[in-house]
Amino acid sequence: MAKVLIIEDEENLANNIADKLRAEGYTVALAGDGEAGLEKIRDDQRPDLIVLDIMLPKLDGLSICRMVRHDPSTAHIPIIMLTARGTEVDKIIGLESGADDYLVKPFGLGEFLARVRALLRRGMGRPMMQEDEMASEDLRLNLTGRRVFKGEEEVKLSNKEFDLLTELMRNRNAVLSRDLILTKVWGYDYFVDKRTVDVHIRWLREKIEDDPSNPKRIVTVRGVGYRFEG
Ligand code: CA
C-alpha cells in the first residue's frame, strides 16, 4: 500500500488525517516541522505522496516543495499542499511551487481522501518512473547514471537533452505539447521561449536518430508537439 508522509505542525489536524489514511490502509509517516519533513522525504523509505502544510517551523512548505521538485530522485513524488488562507493559493498554483494539488483549511476528510487517491492513481499510471532503465530498440537510457547508449556506443547528452529524452520516453507513443515539455523539463521556475523545445529536439535528433533529417524516434506532431515512437 502507498506510503503517505504528512508534514504538518498542527498536531490535531495531522493526527486526524493520519487516522483517516490508516483506516483506508495507507502507511503513514508524520513530521511536525519542515526540517524533519525534508529528512523523511530523503530517507530510504521514500513516500509515495506528500501532504505538505505551508506555514511550518524551521522550513516552510513552499521551499520544501521546490527542493523536492529540483531533486531528480524525488521530483516525481506527488504533493498536496495545505494552506490556512485562500490568499496563499496564488503562490501554490503559481509558477514557482510545483505542487500537484492543494486544499484550503478547513477541509473535509472525504474530499482530502479523494484528492489523495486521484494523485496516487496518476502516479501509478507512470510505471517507468521507478525503473532504472528505459529502452527502445537499440536506444538505452540509464536514469540513475544519466547515461544514454545507442547500440554499444554512449551518446553524450547535455542535462536538458537528457531530461527531455527521459520525458519523451516515459510518455512514449503519446503526444507531448511544447507547454507540457517546458513545464516538465525546464521546470516551474523558468520562463523559456517555446522554440527552446524545438531547438533541443533538433540537437537530440542529431544525436539519437539514424537520419536526423528524417526522424523515426522523435516525431513532430504538427501544431501540437512531439511524440517518441517506441
Ligand atoms: Ca502550519
Side-chain angles (χ1 to χ4, degrees):
M1 199 61 180
K3 180 179 173 185
V4 180
L5 171 62
I6 302 167
I7 310 176
E8 165 64 79
D9 59 323
E10 287 166 54
E11 261 181 58
N12 282 342
L13 177 60
N15 288 332
N16 281 344
I17 297 174
D19 288 347
K20 184 77 180 169
L21 288 170
R22 286 193 186 108
E24 296 291 321
Y26 294 99
T27 304
V28 179
L30 289 162
D33 67 66
E35 279 177 10
L38 198 60
E39 225 164 86
K40 290 200 170 166
I41 292 167
R42 289 175 171 168
D43 78 8
D44 297 338
Q45 305 275 305
R46 284 190 200 294
D48 299 300
L49 181 137
I50 302 166
V51 179
L52 182 57
D53 186 30
I54 290 196
M55 297 292 284
L56 287 165
K58 295 186 184 171
L59 187 61
D60 71 278
L62 287 171
S63 302
I64 293 175
C65 195
R66 275 194 292 271
M67 291 158 99
V68 168
R69 285 292 172 260
H70 283 141
D71 178 346
S73 65
T74 58
H76 64 282
I77 302 174
I79 297 177
I80 299 181
M81 300 214 78
L82 306 180
T83 170
R85 295 194 302 270
T87 50
E88 284 174 334
V89 169
D90 284 350
K91 277 194 230 164
I92 304 171
I93 58 176
L95 289 174
E96 80 261 42
S97 101
D100 296 279
D101 204 351
Y102 67 93
L103 283 164
V104 179
K105 299 174 191 175
F107 50 84
L109 287 178
E111 186 180 3
F112 168 77
L113 204 58
R115 305 284 185 95
V116 167
R117 285 201 188 109
L119 278 182
L120 284 171
R121 245 195 331 267
R122 210 205 302 167
M124 305 296 174
R126 296 179 289 186
M128 302 311 274
M129 282 297 187
Q130 304 303 325
E131 284 175 26
D132 193 42
E133 277 217 351
M134 293 193 286
S136 171
E137 295 176 2
D138 66 339
L139 192 70
R140 268 189 311 123
L141 185 146
N142 180 286
L143 288 168
T144 349
R146 293 180 68 83
R147 299 172 79 185
V148 174
F149 297 87
K150 190 166 177 277
E152 294 301 304
E153 245 167 76
E154 179 160 9
V155 184
K156 290 282 179 202
L157 298 184
S158 72
N159 268 332
K160 280 287 174 274
E161 286 164 0
F162 182 87
D163 293 342
L164 179 58
L165 182 60
T166 305
E167 201 54 38
L168 286 164
M169 285 183 78
R170 267 185 185 143
N171 297 285
R172 60 182 72 194
N173 301 318
V175 186
L176 298 186
S177 69
R178 287 177 182 78
D179 280 332
L180 187 70
I181 292 173
L182 275 177
T183 310
K184 293 278 192 177
V185 176
W186 274 264
Y188 297 83
D189 289 351
Y190 299 87
F191 181 79
V192 192
D193 192 298
K194 280 189 200 184
R195 281 165 297 185
T196 306
V197 175
D198 303 325
V199 172
H200 279 78
I201 291 279
R202 200 171 71 230
W203 291 340
L204 203 48
R205 278 173 172 161
E206 277 162 20
K207 295 179 180 179
I208 66 162
E209 295 280 359
D210 292 333
D211 176 6
S213 58
N214 183 24
K216 293 277 189 272
R217 298 185 199 268
I218 304 174
V219 177
T220 304
V221 182
R222 210 157 291 283
V224 188
Y226 297 97
R227 182 176 62 225
F228 186 90
E229 302 265 329

